[in-house]
Amino acid sequence: MTTNLSVNINKVATLRNARGENVPDVSRVAVDCESFGADGITVHPRPDERHIRRDDVFSLRPLVKTEFNIEGYPSPDFMDLVLKVKPEQVTLVPDAPDDLTSSAGWEVEPHMEFLTGIIDTLREAGIRSSIFVGTDCENIRLAAKTGADRVELYTKPYADAFARDPEAAVAPYVEASRAARKAGLGVNAGHDLNLDNLRYFKEHVPFLNEVSIGHALISDALYLGLPETIRRYKAALK
């Protein structure tokens, strides 16, 4: 099946914010990523706006013509934002406000009522929902019971183990993806996927709808240029 590439542009905003001006232009980069072949744009606005800002999200909404995916912890402020912007997809992550980056998926059972309410709200607004999770199959089955449309598999453990033993590294994700499919969920993946490990992941993990990649892709673009970088990531997903 086709696996879409959503480019996370948070790091572009981090670079821009370092000077307090508008270079690089986050909106221009998003439009260019689409023109170079990206299937979607991902942003993860955090409360301190250390990279993507609320006004970026509003600016991007009319510009993104593929799929707009907004990640974040579903606080009242976050939900207010996404319900106003109405992206194609919202990915729910359990980040604390001061987390440097996402470092774990949801434990669904203790948050079942909370997540179910959030997902009901997103569905009523016509927004596809995805829950960020690890590879525990029972946890994934519980995610399906919230009414979510998809799960996003947290792939840092795969990336960390890939060089030592690719087969062992990918095995939990194969089973997790199969469990998600059986439960009626779509499957996304993201975190530390890169040009070294992406093709192997795609070749072995079934039912993979989408990967969201930011840090590695933007870093590669410093050397390869953005058009060539996106071309290579797309090639790894074929």
Side-chain angles (χ1 to χ4, degrees), residues 168-200:
V170 83
Y173 294 87
V174 175
E175 294 307 310
S177 188
R178 289 174 177 160
R181 175 78 167 201
K182 187 174 182 180
L185 293 164
V187 181
N188 299 340
H191 207 96
D192 287 0
L193 295 173
N194 58 42
L195 287 175
D196 293 327
N197 61 39
L198 179 60
R199 185 182 298 277
Y200 190 88

Side-chain angles (χ1 to χ4, degrees), residues 31 38 46-47 52 70 72 97 109 121 158 168 189 200 224 235:
V31 171
R46 285 186 164 87
I52 290 293
I70 304 179
E109 187 171 21
T121 299
Y158 163 76
Y200 190 88
L224 302 173

Side-chain angles (χ1 to χ4, degrees), residues 198-224:
L198 179 60
R199 185 182 298 277
Y200 190 88
F201 191 83
K202 162 62 179 175
E203 289 174 346
H204 289 81
V205 177
F207 316 121
L208 187 60
N209 296 107
E210 175 184 294
V211 294
S212 175
I213 304 177
H215 183 86
L217 189 151
I218 299 303
S219 297
D220 288 333
L222 295 175
Y223 292 91
L224 302 173

Side-chain angles (χ1 to χ4, degrees), residues 7-17 21-33 41-43 51-53 55-57 59-60 63-64 68 226:
V7 177
N8 186 318
I9 58 172
N10 277 21
K11 286 299 185 291
V12 178
T14 300
L15 182 59
R16 176 202 60 190
N17 295 353
E21 298 175 348
N22 196 40
V23 178
D25 185 328
V26 169
S27 293
R28 172 64 185 273
V29 171
V31 171
D32 286 344
C33 284
I41 299 297
T42 291
V43 295
H51 34 62
I52 290 293
R53 302 167 179 156
D55 60 355
D56 291 325
V57 179
S59 296
L60 286 164
L63 298 175
V64 174
F68 196 20
L226 195 55

